[in-house]
Amino acid sequence: MHQTARDCQTKVITSEQPYFGDIAHAVADELPGQWDVSIEHYPDGSVPAQLLDWVWEASPVLSTLVKHRTPGAAILRDGGGTELLLAERRLDGRYLIGALLPSPDHLNVVGAGPRTVNATTAHGAAVDVRSLLLPEFERLVHLARIREVQEDLDWVRDAEPATVRPVELDAALDRFLTHAPYLLAATRSADVKPLVVDEAAVLVRFEMLLACSQADAGARGGLEPGGTDEALALWLEHGEDLLGVVRTATVGPAEEPSRPAAIGATLPKPPTPVAASGRTR
């Protein structure tokens, strides 16, 4: 390299600062599971506004990057819907890692997100991501799932007779079937007292429903009409029971998701059919 530089009559100046891509991979290697790393370069030194718009954080730490030259960033993906944005703040050399909003096709979250990690080393950043950012991200996503299922149930219950269109009802059921496996898994793994008989029975009924749904989807490419009717009936009749068990096992009093407005207020809008999965940005 130095010889080539001399031949081109230029000078090469080495730096002790590690290559940013190496930092990104070092962080990913210390996170649980398998993470894909994508390095983005910004020749003009500005993080694209459309990317910063996807940052989900409790404080605008990552957003301050617009005030300083930022030649690049990295996006870390776990393949399961979690995406992190890693950038170096050139002002002081600190590494910032924040969570990106889940795709709206997957989940619509509201409120403040996980706190952005602010560290001086790749190892320190990875430790904070494992112990702080990811648990907080998972917790907020869990609460958002509960809120969405509750809103859909309340919408169906409070809607005027014959005003619920089949396509809207199918979208609500599809969303429930998307969220239910995560809610059931969180309830089963919660570190709480053993479930009583009635609570365990509710979980078993929905687990059997999901097992049949997955089998039908794998064999026929989707639920059979009869399977759809069974899933819909169980959801509408016992969805509240399921949410009660999930809340008891996984949600503390201070974390209870906000309930829809009182009767007489504007009802929640019906869900829209899911067009695709994954991030759209």
Side-chain angles (χ1 to χ4, degrees), residues 1-254:
M1 180 183 294
H2 285 281
Q3 182 59 51
T4 301
R6 285 193 292 269
D7 294 343
C8 296
Q9 297 182 349
T10 59
K11 180 184 292 186
V12 174
I13 301 176
T14 59
S15 171
E16 296 181 358
Q17 188 72 13
Y19 170 56
F20 178 74
D22 293 339
I23 294 294
H25 284 281
V27 172
D29 289 343
E30 292 194 46
L31 299 183
Q34 299 293 321
W35 291 75
D36 177 68
V37 177
S38 176
I39 305 297
E40 299 194 352
H41 300 281
Y42 313 129
D44 63 353
S46 299
V47 181
Q50 64 268 27
L51 176 57
L52 289 177
D53 287 342
W54 282 92
V55 173
W56 184 29
E57 61 181 353
S59 58
V61 177
L62 271 173
S63 301
T64 61
L65 293 175
V66 298
K67 301 178 181 179
H68 309 285
R69 179 175 174 77
T70 306
I75 297 179
L76 282 60
R77 302 178 175 89
D78 72 344
T82 304
E83 298 184 350
L84 308 177
L85 176 63
L86 165 64
E88 179 185 1
R89 191 165 59 191
R90 303 302 292 269
L91 178 66
D92 54 12
R94 299 184 71 88
Y95 300 109
L96 309 178
I97 304 180
L100 297 182
L101 285 161
S103 167
D105 287 343
H106 177 65
L107 183 69
N108 289 312
V109 296
V110 296
R115 290 161 293 181
T116 296
V117 166
N118 185 338
T120 58
T121 65
H123 174 70
V127 169
D128 286 347
V129 170
R130 288 199 312 267
S131 62
L132 299 174
L133 192 154
L134 289 180
E136 191 172 356
F137 177 88
E138 293 169 1
R139 190 69 178 164
L140 291 171
V141 167
H142 176 69
L143 295 176
R145 293 185 191 280
I146 294 175
R147 176 183 54 78
E148 283 199 353
V149 173
Q150 185 68 67
E151 287 180 348
D152 283 342
L153 285 171
D154 289 341
W155 164 69
V156 174
R157 180 197 62 203
D158 297 335
E160 293 292 333
T163 62
V164 177
R165 295 187 302 163
V167 66
E168 296 170 348
L169 193 58
D170 288 345
L173 176 61
D174 181 73
R175 181 151 58 179
F176 169 73
L177 293 175
T178 298
H179 295 330
Y182 298 96
L183 298 178
L184 291 169
T187 304
R188 286 295 191 188
S189 62
D191 186 16
V192 296
K193 64 180 181 180
L195 299 173
V196 300
V197 174
D198 290 345
E199 293 173 333
V202 170
L203 295 189
V204 169
R205 292 190 68 177
F206 280 96
E207 288 168 341
M208 292 177 61
L209 168 68
L210 292 175
C212 293
S213 299
Q214 293 170 355
D216 285 343
R220 305 178 181 88
L223 279 174
E224 290 287 283
T228 301
D229 293 342
E230 180 182 354
L232 181 63
L234 182 60
W235 169 53
L236 294 178
E237 184 176 356
H238 295 288
E240 290 282 358
D241 297 332
L242 175 63
L243 288 179
V245 176
V246 174
R247 286 191 173 98
T248 299
T250 65
V251 181

